[in-house]
Amino acid sequence: MYPIRHFVEDSMSLALSFKSVSSLAGRYNGSFEATSIRYALTNRNIIAIVVVKENDLNDQLSFTFNHNSNGQHYLFDMPPITRQKPKSTAPLRVQYCSHSCLFPKFIKSGTEIEKNNIIYECWSQKQRKQGEIPASVFGSSDKFKYNAECYPANGKVFVLLSLPNRQREFFREVII
């Protein structure tokens, strides 16, 4: 669907943004989501694209297990067991993450995204947002921030995370 050599050349000739992803999706006749995945996996920069959606797991937090579901009766019948997880307060959660090979962190599916960050603002206002976002939003204990661009589409939020590539800058100065 996306010829690797041409796709990488085209993506590297464009700025690091969702505008570039949209342009590539049009050029290669692919969906925005599929192009985003390919863009993240083949990019030579330190990037990840995180897809965030509404936290719909709040409705599925309790379940019942009945020991006698097959109709058999035992000497000591046990009542059904009902387990409940504490209800989440997070309005959003990570659906999945695609990243370049240089991206240093793994962002796990199901990670809950709380309020008071640009991802939540983008989702609630249905507007693009750009800025910095702490790594702690994704459950990391590290004290750094990602450059982030948030793009709402189809009820989800696509988040382009990037970090500056200090190695590339260092080697550029050494070679010159």
Side-chain angles (χ1 to χ4, degrees), residues 68-83:
N68 300 329
S69 60
N70 57 2
Q72 295 178 352
H73 294 282
Y74 299 101
L75 184 59
F76 299 104
D77 284 337
M78 294 180 64
I81 298 172
T82 301
R83 296 187 184 202

Side-chain angles (χ1 to χ4, degrees), residues 10-22 24 36 39-40 42-49 100 103 128 130 147-150 160-165 168:
D10 287 345
S11 70
M12 292 307 292
S13 69
L14 300 171
L16 193 62
S17 70
F18 280 125
K19 187 175 180 182
S20 299
V21 174
S22 295
L24 291 167
S36 294
Y39 185 76
T42 60
N43 207 293
R44 294 181 183 160
N45 294 304
I46 304 172
I47 70 161
I49 293 182
S100 66
F103 196 75
R128 288 183 176 203
Q130 198 164 2
N147 296 320
E149 179 185 356
C150 302
L160 175 63
L161 301 175
S162 64
L163 291 169
N165 190 345
R168 187 176 284 172

